[in-house]
Amino acid sequence: MTRQPDAPRHVVSSGADADTVVRRLTRDGWTVREGFALPDPSWDVTPARLVLHGRITDLENLQLAVLAAARGAGIVAVCDSETPVGRALIDDLSRLGTVQLGPGGQPAPAEPGDMVADLVPEQRALLDRLAAGDTIAAAAAAEFLSLRTANRRIAEARAMFGVRTTREAVLAYLRQRRTPG
């Protein structure tokens, strides 16, 4: 999955917090709808600037919310982040991009040059395995990714670090990961 920085993703603990976020998004020009099922048959709903909101208490709603987010919809989910469903929701949405916890505004900006914070978890896992000496094929298999997906994630990481080779990307990743923050 590729990061989609434009769609808001919020996980809040109460309906009042969700109302606050929904009002703010409405003011910013987003179209807000309750529930997580998408009515639009087209795959990419990003141009519609659609935000879906509601309570997530089971895996069915979790799957609907993650699918909607993958298709470009914004998400405002009311869910306890300490439950297994809440942790799964945050983990799955994090693979798509930044997730806001609570009704607060934008996330705290990352340190300048802190590319590690911008990597999706799959990229970090692959880079960790490459740093440990695995080949891309072995790292992909260990992370249950296809070789094509692994190569694409590594190419995205190379572009993010501004380097040409995978070796340079691994070295840049290790340098930035060790930098005290």
Side-chain angles (χ1 to χ4, degrees):
M1 288 180 243
T2 305
R3 280 183 174 259
Q4 299 168 350
D6 298 329
R9 292 169 209 85
H10 292 269
V11 177
V12 296
S13 58
S14 71
D17 289 345
D19 289 342
T20 301
V21 173
V22 165
R23 277 194 304 273
R24 185 175 62 239
L25 292 172
T26 301
R27 271 194 317 266
D28 291 343
W30 290 85
T31 302
V32 178
R33 237 188 90 230
E34 190 167 352
F36 296 107
L38 285 171
D40 193 344
S42 66
W43 175 259
D44 186 9
V45 296
T46 305
R49 291 185 51 89
L50 179 65
V51 172
L52 305 176
H53 70 95
R55 188 168 297 277
I56 295 183
T57 56
D58 57 26
L59 292 178
E60 183 179 340
N61 277 335
L62 182 146
Q63 290 171 344
L64 285 173
V66 172
L67 177 62
R71 289 177 58 186
I75 299 295
V76 178
V78 179
C79 186
D80 182 358
S81 62
E82 299 302 314
T83 64
V85 170
R87 286 191 298 270
L89 174 67
I90 292 168
D91 183 48
D92 288 347
L93 289 177
S94 294
R95 291 176 184 266
L96 299 170
T98 304
V99 176
Q100 299 291 326
L101 299 178
Q106 297 299 318
E111 292 289 318
D114 183 13
M115 304 291 177
V116 173
D118 293 333
L119 295 171
V120 293
E122 286 176 346
Q123 289 170 317
R124 280 190 227 113
L126 287 169
L127 289 168
D128 283 333
R129 290 186 181 280
L130 293 174
D134 284 358
T135 64
I136 293 178
E143 292 298 320
F144 303 102
L145 298 172
S146 71
L147 182 57
R148 180 178 178 193
T149 298
N151 279 319
R152 194 170 50 244
R153 295 290 177 264
I154 296 300
E156 291 167 354
R158 283 194 310 263
M160 193 177 296
F161 287 121
V163 297
R164 289 186 2 207
T165 67
T166 298
R167 182 174 187 268
E168 290 172 321
V170 171
L171 292 173
Y173 170 72
L174 290 174
R175 271 193 304 275
Q176 290 198 10
R177 191 179 69 177
R178 290 186 183 130
T179 303

